[in-house]
Amino acid sequence: MSQKLDPQKLDPMLDMSCRVCGERTVERFLDLGVQPHCNRLSLPGSAADSEPRYPLRAGFCHNCSLVQIDHTIPKERMFSEYPYVSGTTRTLIEHFRNSADRLVSAYGLGPDSLVVDIGSNDGSWLAQYRPHGVRVLGVEAASNVAEIAVAAGVPTLNRFFNAETAELIRREHGAVALITAAGVFFHLEELHSVVDGIGRLIGDDGVFVVQAIYLGGMIENLAFDQIYHEHLCYYTLRSLEELLGRHGLAVFDVHILPIHGGSIEAHVARIGTRAVQPAVGALRAEEAAKGLGRIETYRAFADHVWQQRTRLLGVLEDYRRRGLTVYAYGAPAKGATLLNSFGIDRRLVAKAVEKNRMKVGLVMPGSQIPIVGEETERPDAYLLLAWNFLSEFLAKEAAYLESGGAFIVPIPRVEIIGRDALGKAS
Ligand SMILES: [Zn+2]
């Protein structure tokens, strides 16, 4: 288990070159100890001490303002088989449908247009273009989920997206109208090759739309659990612009979306090909006003994370002392960060109840909490690891909460939501 490290005793500069600008100016502000890969679920009984563990540290680049982790687990180890399927959450499917509808109408996409989705997972997003008759192509490195997409009728290349893959697509299809990337842009080990490939593939007329967890939202929500080995980079508009600008690309429009507790959606084209919308300047100004370009903001964030740990452990210890059971509600990757960073194990949370059958029967990494199916008996309270879907779960579990059950919400504030709070919490 990780413990709180004394920042005074450590060199704050990380031994790395910034992933965007290449300078050795990355200062550590949050050290979550050594942790196993968050999606590496193992069989029960396989010894916890045989799990490979890697440092999980977040740093801020004083030169280009990118927030990033320093340790890279090779992508082949993380993404060749993947237990996460986008299509399991209703909120996410609705989000994909809305996004597809918006993009089709904004860019006048039709049967002659091709949409390429990077990290297309099970094809949940691309499938939403079907009613519009738009041609689609997914690029997905994990063979198990790529197969699910193909079986569902979404053409998918089973490989990593990089400059070489872009060239391959361009030779076969020509320039594409729209490239999208949702929830993958922070994963990319070959960041510059990917962005270079995107630039070539969209040509002068195409658009790249990237959705990524927004660092500004993470800071506001105290969502440190989004920090895990798969997420190498955490973007603000400014750091995203620093990256894109190096490859002749520019953000011409931007939105903040509620999905995943706050995501940035940037619309990108080759520099000079599109009129820049006022939202871009407005968000730049807002980020400056909130101090997102200053290390002090991130140091304060880290202090709040450790205060949160004290509060959450207090609540869980209290349940344990009273002989009440607590199960985790869901076993998402970010839940592993939360549990392992705070030192929460089976003593405090006996089981994790999960809808995704690919995870049932395995144990969570590090904490070794067993993952069970939804048919499992009800506990006295659930620790809500997927806190970003709170309103969906409140609606789904209204009867459980009415009958005296409770949700322990860890983020953004530690809260216990039970029968009494039902009306006001949603
Ligand atoms: Zn940098």
Side-chain angles (χ1 to χ4, degrees):
M1 283 313 100
S2 65
Q3 57 279 318
K4 183 174 172 178
L5 298 169
D6 181 356
Q8 305 302 322
K9 292 185 186 147
L10 295 164
D11 179 358
M13 297 313 286
L14 289 169
D15 181 20
M16 74 179 299
S17 301
C18 171
R19 295 175 189 274
V20 160
C21 73
E23 298 294 325
R24 298 185 64 81
T25 46
V26 183
E27 179 176 340
R28 187 200 67 245
F29 60 86
L30 182 62
D31 191 327
L32 298 173
V34 288
Q35 299 201 14
H37 170 216
C38 60
N39 264 323
R40 187 184 179 278
L41 308 176
S42 44
L43 288 164
S46 52
D49 49 14
S50 72
E51 278 181 308
R53 284 166 188 261
Y54 314 90
L56 187 57
R57 294 178 290 237
F60 167 81
C61 176
H62 285 272
N63 183 48
C64 74
S65 84
L66 180 73
V67 166
Q68 56 207 295
I69 61 168
D70 66 326
H71 188 86
T72 307
I73 304 178
K75 63 186 190 312
E76 289 77 10
R77 202 175 301 168
M78 291 197 288
F79 301 122
S80 296
E81 283 280 317
Y82 203 57
Y84 175 74
V85 214
S86 317
T88 46
T89 325
R90 186 173 53 78
T91 312
L92 206 52
I93 294 293
E94 272 170 27
H95 163 74
F96 284 146
R97 183 177 314 124
N98 294 339
S99 299
D101 292 352
R102 266 192 304 119
L103 295 173
V104 165
S105 104
Y107 299 115
L109 305 178
D112 294 336
S113 322
L114 178 68
V115 177
V116 172
D117 188 32
I118 302 174
S120 51
N121 198 269
D122 60 358
S124 300
W125 191 0
L126 287 178
Q128 305 304 326
Y129 291 93
R130 205 170 279 150
H132 303 284
V134 176
R135 291 182 302 134
V136 298
L137 178 64
V139 182
E140 173 53 56
S143 54
N144 61 328
V145 284
E147 279 164 23
I148 296 175
V150 171
V154 177
T156 302
L157 288 179
N158 179 210
R159 53 183 297 154
F160 285 99
F161 185 93
N162 50 28
E164 195 189 318
T165 305
E167 199 46 47
L168 199 94
I169 297 173
R170 206 175 61 86
R171 274 204 302 271
E172 194 171 332
H173 301 277
V176 307
L178 174 66
I179 300 179
T180 55
V184 292
F185 209 55
F186 32 52
H187 293 321
L188 307 170
E189 186 181 330
E190 306 170 286
L191 193 55
H192 291 280
S193 169
V194 169
V195 180
D196 190 52
I198 289 168
R200 288 188 214 187
L201 203 47
I202 58 175
D204 280 339
D205 301 320
V207 173
F208 169 52
V209 172
V210 53
Q211 293 181 349
I213 287 162
Y214 181 51
L215 180 59
M218 277 175 64
I219 299 296
E220 243 166 71
N221 287 327
L222 201 63
F224 80 98
D225 58 345
Q226 298 287 7
I227 299 172
Y228 47 85
H229 290 109
E230 291 180 6
H231 294 175
L232 303 174
C233 301
Y234 306 83
Y235 295 103
T236 55
L237 173 60
R238 181 181 156 199
S239 57
L240 196 55
E241 289 186 301
E242 291 269 0
L243 166 65
L244 297 164
R246 285 174 162 75
H247 298 272
L249 298 171
V251 176
F252 64 89
D253 201 4
V254 68
H255 310 280
I256 300 297
L257 309 173
I259 196 78
H260 301 306
S263 297
I264 184 169
E265 180 183 277
H267 294 232
V268 177
R270 286 200 185 169
I271 291 174
T273 59
R274 303 249 170 184
V276 178
Q277 300 303 307
V280 178
L283 187 57
R284 271 186 211 139
E286 190 185 313
E287 289 185 348
K290 286 182 175 166
L292 293 176
R294 296 189 305 125
I295 182 72
E296 291 79 8
T297 304
Y298 301 97
R299 289 184 188 140
F301 170 77
D303 287 344
H304 293 144
V305 168
W306 297 123
Q307 290 161 14
Q308 192 88 333
R309 176 181 190 263
T310 307
R311 281 193 284 268
L312 183 59
L313 288 181
V315 168
L316 293 173
E317 287 287 1
D318 183 53
Y319 268 85
R320 192 185 59 86
R321 260 196 309 273
R322 290 188 287 143
L324 302 173
T325 52
V326 177
Y327 295 170
Y329 194 83
K334 63 174 174 297
T337 294
L338 182 110
L339 297 170
N340 292 328
S341 301
F342 286 180
I344 297 168
D345 57 18
R346 277 174 295 182
R347 206 175 50 89
L348 294 173
V349 174
K351 298 172 185 176
V353 181
E354 173 64 47
K355 183 178 178 181
N356 179 352
R357 302 304 300 186
M358 290 161 93
K359 296 183 179 182
V360 171
L362 303 173
V363 298
M364 292 190 72
S367 65
Q368 298 280 304
I369 294 170
I371 303 172
V372 296
E374 288 187 308
E375 65 284 357
T376 306
E377 77 288 350
R378 299 293 194 158
D380 295 297
Y382 286 111
L383 174 62
L384 195 60
L385 296 178
W387 53 270
N388 48 314
F389 295 114
L390 175 63
S391 49
E392 178 178 336
F393 297 151
L394 282 179
K396 186 178 166 194
E397 301 296 353
Y400 162 74
L401 296 168
E402 281 297 342
S403 69
F407 277 140
I408 301 168
V409 183
I411 288 172
R413 285 167 305 282
V414 176
E415 280 184 279
I416 301 173
I417 296 181
R419 191 164 34 201
D420 305 339
L422 250 190
K424 60 184 179 193
S426 52

